[in-house]
Structures are given as structure tokens and as C-alpha cells.
Amino acid sequence: MSQKRIAIFGSTGSIGTQALDVIKANPELFSAEILTAQSNDELLIKQAMLFNPNIVVIGDEKKYQTVKAALAQTSIKVFAGEDALAEAASIDCYDMMLAAIVGYAGLKPTLNAIELGKPIALANKETLVVAGDLVMQKAAEKRVAVIPVDSEHSAIFQCLVGEGRNKIEKIILTASGGPFLGKKPNFLVNVKRDHALQHPNWSMGAKITIDSATLMNKGLEMIEAKWLFNLDAHQIQVVIHPQSIIHSMVQFEDGSIKAQMGLPDMKLPIQYALAFPQRIANNFPRYDFKKPGTLTFEEPDMKTFRNLALATEALYKGGNMACVMNAANEMAVFAFLRNRIGFLDMTEVVEQTMNKIAFIEKPTLQDYFDSDAEARNFAASLLHM
Ligand code: NDP
Ligand code: MG
């Protein structure tokens, strides 16, 4: 394999930094060509000095001078601002984009990369939740591969390798259940930010960690799976598997079930997506069947974790519903992380916003942008922000 030039959008985040570890460990396979951050100028500068990319972009324009000055002795081009972030994805200097920005902000750069014909290693699930139909349609038009990084979707993708046109009966998305598995509303009502940020199996960015605690993450992943694998809503099942060893499963028409397993470590799906179809040797810890341990499975408690029920509703309803839900959820998580609302209030905000914003059955890209903005405005009014 010749060296692949990777554009990492969101290089300072949990996924971004782990991707740079993978690149550093495999310099003959990968280089970092574009690095971007929103506000973490310090880390972005450090990464740029170490990986010598072609371009860096900082979303926050106030940080431009600092980044520019720090990299003045290098040939690295520095840009700043939201538009520059999206435009950088249109510059033809890389072979693959790792979409690792968190939230709706990841949508435009990813669309631009697809437009340019670049394969996508997709961590940013919100891109597909917001506009999955248009994103996958554009990818098909441009013959661009979208390779999942999300561990569950990477698992399903890996189970499908070699299956050609064999039909999927259903997929089984596994969920750890998060830190509050088995808890009831009388407990959840008092949960505070710092407690919700403690995930039992995975160390991730703040937003997805809260989404994992409310099970919204699994809801987003159902919608992500629908678009990635072209599934009907009823083909997607969620099962709680607290040990996070089976990362997800595919059941075929003959009833045979394939699973992908391993210790929970995001570096594995990241390197799989970057190197696909090749696998790269590594010395990550291995799962040991000789150690005592049990793999367990149970139904999710959708009455307590109502976000999963709301996301299921959005999955079945289609149109702009998931986009609206995502926008309200981003606002609610933002407010919860600032201790402005309680844990259960997040679900209230999402539900009320989904009930309020006009439903559009076949949205255009502009409709998605508008629905996102309307939903954010309405959620902000609920949050008094
Ligand atoms: P982090 O919060 O750790 O990192 C987010 C990255 O995006 C940072 O580089 C951040 O920059 C940048 N960013 C934040 N806001 C904006 C914005 N408005 N515009 C442009 N860039 C922005 O997130 P994660 O790495 O945890 O997650 C990234 C994506 O991957 C999410 O969609 C998540 O759902 C998905 N994912 C993550 C997993 C994980 O293990 N972390 C697992 C599976 C999926 P800065 O540092 O400057 O703020
Ligand atoms: Mg996941």
C-alpha cells in the first residue's frame, strides 16, 4: 500500500488524537495532510509541529493569529473560521477524510469531501443522522466509499465483507448501557454532569459520553446504520451488552449470525477504516477467553431511557425528524454539560422540539439546514438560552 494522505477534521478530539496515534505508529502507510480544531489552538499547533501537514484550520477566528504565529517558520498553510473549515475539505491535497468533528458542524466539510470524490472514514455520526439520505446519495453518485469508524458500524461493515449481495435479515447493535444501566428515573433525576461523564468502557469526547449515558447515542447509531447499510427501520435491533466485547452483529436470511469482537478500543475501528481493505498488525491488548468472564445480553429499558424511544420514532418517521431531534439533543447536551438543566430534562427538550417543528417528508439540503436552525432556536427558547 502506498502512503495514504489523511485529512483529519477534528484532529484535537478523542477520535482525532487516536487517529494521529495510528498514523504515528504507521508512518509508511499514512501521513496527516489536513488537521482541524475548533478552539484548542495549543494542541493543534503541537500536532502541526509533529505531523507537518499541508494545511491546518482553526474554527475559532480569534485563535488565528496565535496559530499563524506559532507556525510561521513552517510551510504549513493556516486558515480560520467556519467557512474555511468547510472549504479546506474541497482542496485536493489528500486521499481520505477522517470525519471526526463532533455534531452537526461535521456535515458541510464531509459533503465537500464527497463532492471532491474522496473516501470518508466516518466517525461523525451526526452527519448521517441529519442528512443521511442526501449524503449517501451523493456518495453513490460520486462512487465514494463511506467507511464507518463508529465501533458498532465498523463491526457490521466487517461482518459484511465477503457477503456480496447476501441479504441482511437484521442487524443487532450492541450497547453498553452506559454508566446508569439498571437505574430508574428517581435516580436519574439527580444525576449531575460529572457522574454522567464517567463511562464504564470507553473514553470519549464529552458530547458522545453524555449521549451514551442517555442512550441517545444508540438512537443516533440506529439512524446511522439505516443509511450506511441501506436498511429498513424494522431490521435494526438494539441489545444491551454491558461488557462491550461484541461490537455488533449481522443476522442473514438463513438465520446465521456473524459478530465482530474484541476489547473496546477505538484505535481498532479507526485503523481498520484508514487502511481498508488491509488489516494492520498492532500490539493492542487482546481479549482472552481463558480469563473468567461472562458475556450478557438484555433488552434496553426504553421507558426509563426515553431518548432511545424518541430516536426510534425519528428512525421510523424519516424526513427531517432525525435532523430536528439531533439539533435539540445537541442543545440539550450543551446545556446539561454547563449544569443548566437536569439529566431527564434533556429528553423533555428533545421531545418538545420534535413535536413543535414542522415535519418535512422529503427535505432538500436547504430544508435540513433550516430545520436544524429552527430546532436549535426552539430548543434555546425552552432552555432560556
Ligand atoms: P471530541 O469532542 O473529543 O472532539 C471533537 C473534535 O471536533 C475536536 O477536534 C473539536 O475541536 C472539533 N470541533 C468541536 N466543535 C466543532 C465545531 N463547531 N466546528 C468544527 N470543529 C469542531 O469528540 P469525539 O472525538 O469523541 O467524537 C467525534 C465524533 O466521532 C462524534 O460525532 C462522535 O459521535 C463520533 N464517535 C466518537 C467516538 C469516540 O470514542 N470518541 C466513538 C464513535 C463515534 P476542539 O478540540 O478545538 O474543541
Ligand atoms: Mg458507537
Side-chain angles (χ1 to χ4, degrees):
M1 194 166 105
S2 62
Q3 204 191 39
K4 214 187 253 184
R5 298 166 302 168
I6 312 292
I8 307 185
F9 279 70
S11 65
T12 50
S14 161
I15 294 288
T17 51
Q18 294 182 80
L20 284 171
D21 290 345
V22 168
I23 292 178
K24 199 168 154 200
N26 300 279
E28 67 299 347
L29 296 181
F30 309 114
S31 68
E33 210 59 25
I34 302 181
L35 299 177
T36 86
Q38 175 58 20
S39 57
N40 193 344
D41 49 346
E42 220 171 288
L43 183 55
L44 184 65
I45 291 164
K46 255 194 218 150
Q47 293 178 338
M49 299 300 268
L50 203 61
F51 289 91
N52 193 31
N54 189 347
I55 295 170
V56 302
V57 191
I58 181 98
D60 182 351
E61 291 180 43
K62 292 193 290 294
K63 306 273 176 89
Y64 173 74
Q65 284 307 337
T66 318
V67 180
K68 180 76 188 159
L71 301 178
Q73 304 304 318
T74 72
S75 58
I76 302 167
K77 300 180 201 76
V78 180
F79 302 109
E82 195 185 328
D83 292 345
L85 262 174
E87 284 159 19
S90 302
I91 300 173
D92 195 353
C93 66
Y94 63 97
D95 303 309
M96 178 180 235
M97 170 192 269
L98 173 64
I101 288 177
V102 61
Y104 174 84
L107 174 62
K108 282 184 190 168
T110 306
L111 276 173
N112 284 350
I114 295 173
E115 187 64 47
L116 192 62
K118 302 300 178 185
I120 310 289
L122 187 79
N124 177 248
K125 63 191 81 187
E126 294 91 346
T127 286
L128 292 185
V129 173
V130 171
D133 54 343
L134 300 184
V135 171
M136 293 311 286
Q137 201 181 307
K138 169 84 54 202
E141 247 169 55
K142 297 279 171 184
R143 298 182 183 279
V144 157
V146 180
I147 303 172
V149 169
D150 210 347
S151 57
E152 295 77 2
H153 306 74
S154 176
I156 293 163
F157 187 92
Q158 293 182 53
C159 290
L160 291 175
V161 169
E163 291 294 342
R165 290 174 181 276
N166 287 333
K167 283 216 183 89
I168 298 172
E169 194 164 84
K170 67 174 180 181
I171 62 161
I172 300 123
L173 284 178
T174 52
S176 70
F180 305 130
L181 178 60
K183 300 293 191 221
K184 295 291 170 197
N186 61 356
F187 175 90
L188 295 174
V189 70
N190 295 316
V191 159
K192 294 285 177 288
R193 162 191 197 276
D194 291 344
H195 192 182
L197 281 173
Q198 308 295 321
H199 194 279
N201 303 349
W202 301 95
S203 157
M204 310 177 285
K207 195 254 176 184
I208 183 175
T209 305
I210 301 303
D211 283 344
S212 299
T214 64
L215 292 201
M216 179 54 95
N217 183 51
K218 211 48 55 180
L220 300 176
E221 289 183 353
M222 292 171 83
I223 299 166
E224 179 186 16
K226 171 189 161 80
W227 297 119
L228 274 172
F229 306 113
N230 194 20
L231 301 169
D232 288 334
H234 71 266
Q235 290 175 289
I236 304 169
Q237 184 189 347
V238 171
V239 66
I240 302 287
H241 166 48
Q243 299 80 19
S244 297
I245 297 299
I246 294 185
H247 299 307
S248 278
M249 299 176 259
V250 178
Q251 180 173 314
F252 293 93
E253 279 189 313
D254 59 357
S256 180
I257 299 170
K258 274 184 167 180
Q260 186 266 339
M261 305 172 69
L263 290 173
D265 181 349
M266 282 310 293
K267 282 208 194 81
L268 187 55
I270 291 170
Q271 76 163 45
Y272 182 84
L274 295 185
F276 178 78
Q278 193 179 322
R279 287 186 186 270
I280 308 174
N282 62 40
N283 55 8
F284 305 162
R286 275 24 179 182
Y287 182 69
D288 183 358
F289 281 94
K290 292 195 294 271
K291 278 198 186 143
T294 317
L295 300 185
T296 60
F297 306 93
E298 58 187 275
E299 282 273 301
D301 176 0
M302 301 236 261
K303 286 212 173 72
T304 302
F305 295 91
R306 286 179 48 235
N307 273 356
L308 189 55
L310 291 173
T312 305
E313 188 188 320
L315 167 77
Y316 275 86
K317 188 110 195 218
N320 65 340
M321 194 54 117
C323 169
V324 167
M325 175 190 78
N326 177 70
N329 182 58
E330 286 190 27
M331 295 294 288
V333 172
F334 180 89
F336 176 73
L337 281 170
R338 275 151 196 80
N339 295 313
R340 310 242 326 223
I341 57 170
F343 189 84
L344 295 176
D345 298 332
M346 288 190 276
T347 306
E348 285 302 317
V349 170
V350 172
E351 184 169 36
Q352 287 188 39
T353 310
M354 286 169 74
N355 289 337
K356 176 74 181 182
I357 305 300
F359 181 67
I360 306 173
E361 180 133 24
K362 271 252 150 228
T364 62
L365 190 57
Q366 190 57 49
D367 289 332
Y368 283 126
F369 295 161
D370 294 345
S371 297
D372 175 82
E374 273 175 52
R376 273 168 208 271
N377 282 337
F378 181 72
S381 71
L382 296 175
L383 294 162
H384 308 293
M385 280 163 67

